Amino acid sequence: MQEKGSISIHTENIFPIIKKFLYSDNEIFLRELVSNAVDATQKIKRLASLGQYNGELGDLRVEIAFDEEKKTITISDNGLGMTAEEIKKYINQIAFSGATEFVEKFKEAKDANEIIGRFGLGFYSAFMVADKVEIQTLSYQEGAEPAYWVCDGSTEFEIGEGVLEERGTEITLYINSESEEFLSKYKLQEILDKYCKFLPVPIKFGTKTESVEDGVDEEGNPKYTSVEVDNIINETNPIWTKAPSELKDEDYLNFYKTLYPFSEDPLFWIHLNVDYPFNLTGVLYFPKLKNDFEVSKNKIKLFSRQVFITDEVKDIVPEFLMLLHGVIDSPDIPLNVSRSFLQADSNVKKINSYITKKVADKLAELFKTDRKSYEEKWTDIGLFVKYGMVSEDKFYDKAKDFVLVSNTQKENFTLAEYKDKVEAIQTDKDGQLIYLYTNDPSKQDAFIQSAGKKGYDVLVMNSPIDNHFISQLEQKLEKTSLKRVDADVADKLIKKDDALEHILTEEQATTVKTIFDKAINKPAYKVELESLNPDELPVTVTMDEFMRRMKDMAAMGGGMGFYGNMPDNYKVVVNGNHKLITRILQEESEEVQAQLSKQAFDLALLSQGLLTGAELTEFVNRSVNLI
């Protein structure tokens, strides 16, 4: 049997197109060919289980070999095999069924990821790295003749009698001069580790040396000898393929170390397993996040039937869950040729919702069953939960019952518990509940202490997401607003009807304002006289809550650029009831009045971290003189 022919492509030659568009992604040829070989071995196993193949299955495996001198890479399996007629059908026709459409559309494609899988070209990815590809194969069917197929990257092919004596397929790639980097044990091992680490059939790549126990020496200590063993690169039954009841915590932790060798142990994990309305298995881990937002992204690996596809899972996993680590495996996720881009599809949306629900259920269960342990982990998972609430309404609805807020006393509360704690004392004269918070307890300590004297509680809101979380709470909680503790003096943070009387006359108040305006002499600082508790500081510098929040969001790139460009404006609150103000009024020397006013103002700046440079030096020198 000998036959030559031409692959039926009605337009131009497809191979240069494959090479041109896929060159940057050319390592996927190995994934495609190994995946095909695995499919062939699984199919023969399935036929045997159905009684449609009665021969010996043997040791089912896929083997990869390379020859640096001959410049070849060979992928062989002992699976289904093909007859000459099947080669014509599957290699020449079906693999090229999308060829015409492919050639028409390739010009519009932006990159390789849009092309390969969509047109069934997995096998032909071999031509990204090979000048010639040869198939030797023998079908499992009784009486089948071995067959071979060879193609040199043109549309011409040759089919003839093959040489295989045992069932299976052997594909040999004659590597082109631009792709000789693949003729390296290190490079091939790297690609196999990346894509084939968890394939369901053993993948052999050469051999490796192992030490095995070989008796004992004269002193009774074990002796070891070196032996060459098959280098099987994959774990055929990874934990996500098993039932949770078969697994111990140690199994989950060991698997995590396999995926992320240099990471700390995760906090906990969720085992996913659903077969309706879609198939999905996997294990998602909650890593120790702290406040490190970006470093943890792109750590979820997507597999399809244990073949690694991509770690770009943003279409399947909601944005906030990108902070998780782990594995998702689903044959129902629609993949195109390079398999790394996902099509918009109802299954993807369902999977997205399912994962969100599973995560929320796990967190709710942890909170209910062991609140103490949950609170201990809150530093790590708080950022994740808040991020989820801000970005996903459905998640907010579930998470509002297990999100925690923490105060400066390091006490934790649910939203409902916190409302009960502060409602009586922190409701203003208009019935608005005011939550006070700090984003820097050490820097804002003076304000926290002032609030404490009035019986107010102060929350700590210092994670990268808290600006957005605060805004969300104000939208979602009824008649509730949040103010940073340094947004005003303590007496004015929560407006009550019990305002203190001024001890200054109107004329004295005007005089004090004039003295401070002159001493400060800065347009960005607006002086206001207030009647406050005599024990409060004589001068306090604050920034309006709204303006500061807008500026913070602009700094984070929150689309408030207009506010970010506006100059900083501060309010200088002078406590008219403080004895220092009385003393300033009694001073006859204008120079001393100015000096005392400036000193009180600089102290207020110092407490806010706003006194720097030459002004700080001047303050220090003035303080020494005053002593």
Side-chain angles (χ1 to χ4, degrees), residues 449-466:
Q449 288 200 34
S450 288
K453 285 175 193 167
K454 297 190 73 65
Y456 298 158
D457 191 74
V458 180
L459 295 171
V460 178
M461 295 278 197
N462 60 355
S463 85
I465 198 75
D466 274 337

Side-chain angles (χ1 to χ4, degrees), residues 13 65 83 87 140 146 191 226 249 290 559 569 588:
N13 186 343
T83 63
I87 291 178
Y140 75 97
I191 299 170
S226 293
D249 286 359
K290 305 298 181 198
N569 281 295
E588 292 179 5

Side-chain angles (χ1 to χ4, degrees), residues 143-163:
E145 297 285 328
Y148 91 98
W149 174 94
V150 66
C151 179
D152 63 0
S154 70
T155 53
E156 305 302 313
F157 68 86
E158 191 177 309
I159 290 182
E161 193 174 320
V163 297

Side-chain angles (χ1 to χ4, degrees), residues 194-208:
K194 179 176 178 181
Y195 292 107
C196 308
K197 191 86 177 164
F198 301 109
L199 282 171
V201 173
I203 312 293
K204 180 190 171 192
F205 178 51
T207 60
K208 61 183 176 183

Side-chain angles (χ1 to χ4, degrees), residues 583-602:
R583 183 183 159 193
I584 289 170
L585 278 170
Q586 289 169 349
E587 276 292 342
E588 292 179 5
S589 162
E590 284 187 15
E591 189 183 336
V592 175
Q593 282 181 331
Q595 200 175 42
L596 289 171
S597 303
K598 189 77 167 73
Q599 188 73 0
F601 171 68
D602 282 353

